[in-house]
Amino acid sequence: MTILDLFSLTGKTALVTGGNRGMGLAFARGLAEAGAEVTIVSRSAERNAEAIQSLEGDGLTVRAIDADITAPGIAKDVLAQAAESMGRVDILVNNAGLAIHESSFEIEDDDWNTVMDINLNALWKMSVAAAEVMREQGGGNIVNIGSISALIVNRPQWQPAYNASKAAVHQLTKSLAAEWAPYGIRVNAVAPGYVKTDMAPVDEPHFRQHWIEDAPMKRYAMPEEIAPTVVYMASEASSFMTGSVVVLDGGYTVY
Ligand code: NDP
């Protein structure tokens, strides 16, 4: 066995939330290219079909579950479907998320709850549902997508709900890593800086100074630059890593 074999996911199965575009699509592609059998779960059946088609075009077979993971009781259903179609669930990537730019005096309860429901509550429910399956299987691996917004306050826009939700994701990562280590379940997180996706309008001139120029590398990332770290965390290459939050931000948080 060579060191690169440790990064292989051959024989593993993975479930990626929000896998039909943006970073989730890059993660689904990366995990599949590393050898895993992959299922994505997101709301839009149309976008899911497009994602599957684009992956198939590159010779990768990925399945989709069309579901809103904030719906009551859905997490167990999604895990049951994924476990049935793939035989087991070795890897869960909790990627689905949403940002709303609203200050503390503007944000209505509904918007606050929408952000918390997807970024934190759905991640929590999916994690517990997956860990129940993984505990039965004798182990597993959960990768959460946190954010530098858990570590700094973004500007010029205010987004207290998003920042609080991601700080909770980082701490939940550590909490669950401690609780589930005895079951052979590792839990880690990546904390990306600015990445070009539908969620982040990184090309808007209004954001350029604080999002781009303020960082040492003076650029945003593409989703494909975050995916290798997710593959690493999901693989045996990171076998001694649990409860870690890895920051990938072009140096943004050094200042
Ligand atoms: P996108 O907006 O590009 O993609 C979000 C994905 O989540 C889509 O696939 C969407 O699919 C899915 N999704 C949203 N809500 C739900 C739901 N209720 N149920 C199921 N799926 C859902 O976002 P990004 O790729 O930018 O973000 C991915 C993750 O990375 C998020 O957690 C985000 O907070 C985090 N992040 C992003 C950064 C960035 O700069 N882009 C920086 C740091 C962290 P559909 O709409 O079909 O449901």
Side-chain angles (χ1 to χ4, degrees), residues 7-12 34-36:
F7 292 83
S8 169
L9 297 176
T10 301
K12 300 284 185 192

Side-chain angles (χ1 to χ4, degrees), residues 17-25 27 41-45 47-48 67-71 94-99 117-119 122 145-149 162 165-166 190-200 202 211 223:
T17 71
N20 66 15
R21 58 192 157 118
M23 275 196 265
L25 179 56
F27 301 155
V41 53
S42 350
R43 292 166 301 183
S44 163
R47 277 195 292 266
N48 287 349
D68 178 345
I69 59 166
T70 64
N94 278 311
N95 160 80
L98 172 82
D117 275 349
I118 182 64
N119 291 9
I145 310 308
S147 172
I148 59 166
S149 305
Y162 185 82
S165 73
K166 291 296 183 178
V190 294
Y194 292 102
V195 184
K196 188 177 170 71
T197 66
D198 290 351
M199 178 196 282
V202 289
W211 288 21

Side-chain angles (χ1 to χ4, degrees), residues 75-204:
K76 278 181 194 297
D77 273 10
V78 168
L79 261 297
Q81 280 185 58
E84 197 187 321
S85 62
M86 298 194 290
R88 47 190 286 131
V89 179
D90 298 306
I91 298 156
L92 168 67
V93 181
N94 278 311
N95 160 80
L98 172 82
I100 296 182
H101 295 177
E102 280 174 339
S103 74
S104 54
F105 290 125
E106 285 166 344
I107 191 164
E108 303 280 348
D109 285 353
D110 278 356
D111 282 351
W112 175 276
N113 291 335
T114 297
V115 173
M116 289 295 166
D117 275 349
I118 182 64
N119 291 9
L120 179 60
N121 299 336
L123 177 145
W124 155 249
K125 288 174 192 168
M126 290 294 291
S127 297
V128 173
E132 282 170 355
V133 172
M134 291 169 179
R135 183 176 55 175
E136 281 291 302
Q137 292 170 177
N141 199 318
I142 299 177
V143 181
N144 293 326
I145 310 308
S147 172
I148 59 166
S149 305
L151 308 169
I152 53 101
V153 175
N154 305 71
R155 54 190 180 152
Q157 81 286 5
W158 302 130
Q159 48 180 49
Y162 185 82
N163 298 350
S165 73
K166 291 296 183 178
V169 166
H170 287 198
Q171 186 60 5
L172 188 59
T173 298
K174 295 177 191 209
S175 190
L176 297 179
E179 203 177 317
W180 295 341
Y183 304 110
I185 302 169
R186 296 193 290 118
V187 189
N188 293 291
V190 294
Y194 292 102
V195 184
K196 188 177 170 71
T197 66
D198 290 351
M199 178 196 282
V202 289
D203 290 319
E204 263 188 37

Side-chain angles (χ1 to χ4, degrees), residues 219-231:
R219 68 172 180 88
Y220 52 75
M222 295 305 286
E224 294 70 29
E225 296 182 84
I226 312 299
T229 302
V230 170
V231 169

